Amino acid sequence: MKGFRFTQFTPQKDPEKNTFENLLEIFLQLVTMTGGDVAEALSWLTNLDNRYGLTNPGYGIGDFIDDLKDKGYLTEENQKGAFKITGKSEQSIRKRALEEIFGKLKRGKGGQHRTTHSGQGEERGTDRRPFEFGDNMEQIALTDSLRNAQVNHGFSGDFLLTEDDLEVTENEYRTQTSTVLMIDISHSMILYGEDRITPAKKVAMALAELIKTRYPKDTLDIIVFGNDAWQIDIKDLPYLQVGPYHTNTVAGLELAMDLLRRRKNPNKQIFMITDGKPTCLKVGIKYYKNSFGIDSKIMKETLKLAAQCRKIKIPVTTFMIASDPYLKEFVREFTKANNGNAYYSGLKGLGHLIFEDYRRNRTKRF
């Protein structure tokens, strides 16, 4: 049954923000939860206002809606004349997801990551080595070189600096990373009233905003998988909803591998957010489905793709947002076949795990 389970919640008002900004914070959260349905989000907001007094006599929800349109967050310029969020709202949702999940990160140098390799790279490191023919003059560590000259030749007479005294600072290579984020949109992501898809969307939006602002030369492709798998744009994330789908992990992995084959970056990786085992496989034009336990036919095809990813050096990190004991068998076998990583994560810690794994994988060559 589709639905949401609510617990008592009293929204906190930021005293440094005016009424519009406080309402905007809540509204953007609601839009994310409703899959971009503005009418439903505004209905929820009105109910919250009636219950918790979010507005005041001089500023009501109607004034807030007018401000949303005036400030470019909402538009009615479409064929149906219905409220739709704009690109400005979509960007605001991504920025808020980034701040909520990863914290306030400072912008770094464009699209570059540390690796364990040193040499003639692009950023000065801390390692030193003797000067070699072909080293750039700006690499010379002047203080260390002068000290070597004093130790080797003493202070008497004319100062002597030879090639053997020179030390250079190793430059660190920077590398680019191509990531595919797979999001499970099967029915179980909202089963029993537990909303698992909204945290998954927030993590995806936060990761997208992180890469765009801090590592702009990296690539991030986002795909969703249910009975089939397809690619979505970053701007489509707020509108993402689950469907009456099974879990075709094979289709998701096939599409992810195809996308990564087109990328020229040496570092490639797949992040998979799911809450269950594979239950679907497409055979020809038909779907083979089995939701009861771990199906050996589906499992065999899934493990085969995991091994293929390992062969072409694409690690798969699985974020299992459920901890049912019978699911561990699938995750264990899948991780073993791919030699990747797996985490059993609660919804609250999902973003931090993905960020740490993303950052760690960018410091090495696969």
Side-chain angles (χ1 to χ4, degrees), residues 154-275:
F155 294 95
S156 59
D158 296 332
F159 177 76
L160 183 63
L161 178 66
T162 68
E163 181 179 331
D164 294 333
D165 301 322
L166 297 177
E167 286 190 16
V168 297
T169 303
E170 287 277 38
N171 285 352
E172 294 178 341
Y173 280 108
R174 292 285 183 163
T175 187
Q176 298 172 349
T177 300
S178 290
T179 303
V180 171
L181 179 62
M182 295 173 51
I183 302 176
D184 184 352
I185 58 168
S186 63
H187 181 61
S188 61
M189 291 291 278
I190 55 167
L191 202 58
Y192 310 119
E194 184 175 13
D195 180 13
R196 295 170 177 172
I197 190 63
T198 297
K201 287 194 293 185
K202 286 186 177 181
V203 167
M205 289 186 289
L207 186 61
E209 193 66 16
L210 174 72
I211 290 175
K212 288 181 64 177
T213 56
R214 191 166 182 178
Y215 307 112
K217 291 185 180 179
D218 276 13
T219 65
L220 174 66
D221 294 296
I222 301 172
I223 63 178
V224 294
F225 62 105
N227 290 350
D228 295 290
W230 60 94
Q231 186 177 8
I232 64 173
D233 293 330
I234 293 173
K235 64 181 180 62
D236 297 328
L237 281 169
Y239 310 99
L240 187 61
Q241 294 181 316
V242 301
Y245 304 129
H246 287 68
T247 307
N248 191 344
T249 308
V250 167
L253 290 172
E254 287 176 338
L255 179 56
M257 292 169 65
D258 184 55
L259 291 171
L260 288 175
R261 286 191 190 100
R262 307 174 194 175
R263 302 298 185 184
K264 305 303 180 183
N265 295 340
N267 289 0
K268 300 176 182 181
Q269 61 186 343
I270 297 172
F271 289 160
M272 179 169 65
I273 303 175
T274 183
D275 71 337

Side-chain angles (χ1 to χ4, degrees), residues 114-132:
R114 295 182 182 277
T115 73
T116 55
H117 299 268
S118 61
Q120 298 202 13
E122 300 176 2
E123 182 167 323
R124 293 176 68 84
T126 58
D127 295 336
R128 304 285 191 271
R129 63 169 174 79
F131 176 85
E132 296 176 357

